[in-house]
Amino acid sequence: MTATSTRAKLGVLIASAVLLGSVAAGYVAMAAAETTPTPPPATGDQAVTLTPGPRLLAITDRHVSTVAAADPTGPRTVSGLECLRVYAAAGTGVCLKPETTWSYRMVVLDAALRETRAISVPGLPNRARVSASGRMVSWTTFVGGDSYTSSGFSTRTGILDTSSGATVASLEEFAITKDGRGYRHPDVNYWGVTFTADDNRFYATMSTGGKRYLVRGDVAARTVETVKENVECPSLSPDGTRLAFKEAVDADPAKGWRLSVLDLATMRVTATAETTSVDDQAAWLDGGTLAYTLRQDDGRPDVWSVPADGSGAPKLVIPGAESPSPLT
């Protein structure tokens, strides 16, 4: 099947799903992808490390892997570490991995993939991030059973300071300023954290009242404030001036998402050339290129890239992989 046909059909499928209902389907697809053949790993005594260098980190068949940034479609090195979501920066990694058949852990990794800290987390792993310095780690899972959700799913998003050990079990503990006024509501959910350079402030998605907001947060003050509506899964650019995000078409997740970029100085939004619905938290490969995951009809994931300025065209980067990040 051609990439064009696959991408078009995927857009139709995603457009028919709602935001949280699509999560369960995504994990079914992930399980199906385990049986799909992928490019062979590199041979010899090579080992996967998170040491900064000209390589890209990703998940291959639910295992942490790396490829050369200059040749991402070539041979890759695949580790024995199983993760459903991975991210790394400055030699520190975060892995959301199975603990038992139905439970998961957030694991902090050193550059040699050794576990330095682990926290049991509820629900299905969905998002993970590390600050540029490697100090701060965040994760999001989808959980069921909250009475206020019509879909049966809600989220839990936590933050760990790897330096002090201080842990935020859920951002729902933070005080909210919405549209300039204090706000409280039992249906508040968060996902998709991205950290600023000071290791204290962050951006994330907050959902409440059927709407999704970009929020700016302060870990030390334990506060968040709304910035803009219809901004989901933000990812801060290396220079801290822009946020890549997924924007619900017509503010309706059932219609799918458009991968876009928000200029934080002007609040101007630029849609990328990727027109297929992207249900992912994109990663910046460099100051001008975004990477993200799309799934084929059989559930197999592929990593694609697209310029952040709206120019160019999408490009297949790592076939048979997901959860990309540059090893910076």
Side-chain angles (χ1 to χ4, degrees):
M1 181 172 293
T2 67
T4 301
S5 172
T6 295
R7 289 154 59 81
K9 288 186 176 181
L10 182 61
V12 173
L13 289 172
I14 294 180
S16 67
V18 296
L19 170 65
L20 296 176
S22 66
V23 175
Y27 280 91
V28 171
M30 183 180 294
E34 294 182 49
T35 61
T36 305
T38 57
T43 58
D45 296 327
Q46 294 173 295
V48 171
T49 75
L50 304 183
T51 305
R55 290 163 296 125
L56 303 180
L57 180 69
I59 290 175
T60 298
D61 287 340
R62 293 171 58 126
H63 288 79
V64 175
S65 62
T66 56
V67 295
D71 184 23
T73 61
R76 70 191 66 173
T77 307
V78 182
S79 76
L81 178 61
E82 184 178 4
C83 299
L84 300 185
R85 194 80 179 183
V86 72
Y87 196 87
T92 297
V94 58
C95 163
L96 301 184
K97 64 176 297 185
E99 185 174 41
T100 67
T101 303
W102 298 108
S103 64
Y104 302 88
R105 290 190 299 164
M106 184 285 299
V107 175
V108 180
L109 306 169
D110 67 11
L113 295 189
R114 293 183 294 251
E115 180 179 314
T116 63
R117 190 180 181 95
I119 298 174
S120 293
V121 295
L124 297 172
N126 188 258
R127 302 284 184 252
R129 272 299 190 269
V130 178
S131 66
S133 72
R135 175 177 173 176
M136 305 298 287
V137 170
S138 178
W139 61 94
T140 296
T141 61
F142 281 88
V143 299
D146 287 343
S147 60
Y148 55 78
T149 61
S150 59
S151 65
F153 286 92
S154 58
T155 60
R156 294 289 183 275
T157 293
I159 292 175
L160 169 68
D161 183 333
T162 64
S163 178
S164 69
T167 303
V168 176
S170 174
L171 287 184
E172 293 170 34
E173 303 169 7
F174 282 27
I176 303 166
T177 299
K178 178 176 174 288
D179 301 326
R181 306 178 66 175
Y183 181 82
R184 291 178 62 87
H185 199 281
D187 75 348
V188 168
N189 279 264
Y190 297 92
W191 62 88
V193 167
T194 184
F195 295 99
T196 66
D198 68 1
D199 283 333
N200 178 56
R201 291 171 296 171
F202 63 91
Y203 292 93
T205 307
M206 182 182 80
S207 172
T208 185
K211 295 183 179 181
R212 295 148 309 282
Y213 300 86
L214 172 69
V215 294
R216 181 171 45 238
D218 186 308
V219 176
R222 299 176 72 84
T223 60
V224 298
E225 59 179 333
T226 57
V227 178
K228 184 178 174 60
E229 285 190 34
N230 198 23
V231 174
E232 298 184 56
C233 295
S235 181
L236 190 63
S237 62
D239 64 5
T241 65
R242 294 156 292 159
L243 284 171
F245 69 101
K246 61 177 193 179
E247 181 176 33
V249 177
D250 296 329
D252 182 1
K255 296 182 179 181
W257 293 274
R258 185 70 182 271
L259 183 61
S260 302
V261 175
L262 172 68
D263 186 300
L264 291 170
T266 64
M267 301 305 288
R268 179 174 178 265
V269 173
T270 300
T272 68
E274 177 58 85
T275 57
T276 299
S277 180
V278 176
D279 185 8
D280 195 14
Q281 184 175 16
W284 292 79
L285 295 183
D286 52 45
T289 310
L290 304 175
Y292 49 94
T293 302
L294 293 178
R295 292 189 180 277
Q296 298 187 24
D297 293 343
D298 61 2
R300 175 177 169 174
D302 295 313
V303 173
W304 291 75
S305 71
V306 71
D309 63 3
S311 67
K315 176 184 176 181
L316 179 62
V317 179
I318 315 176
E322 59 190 312
S323 196
S325 64
L327 287 172
T328 56

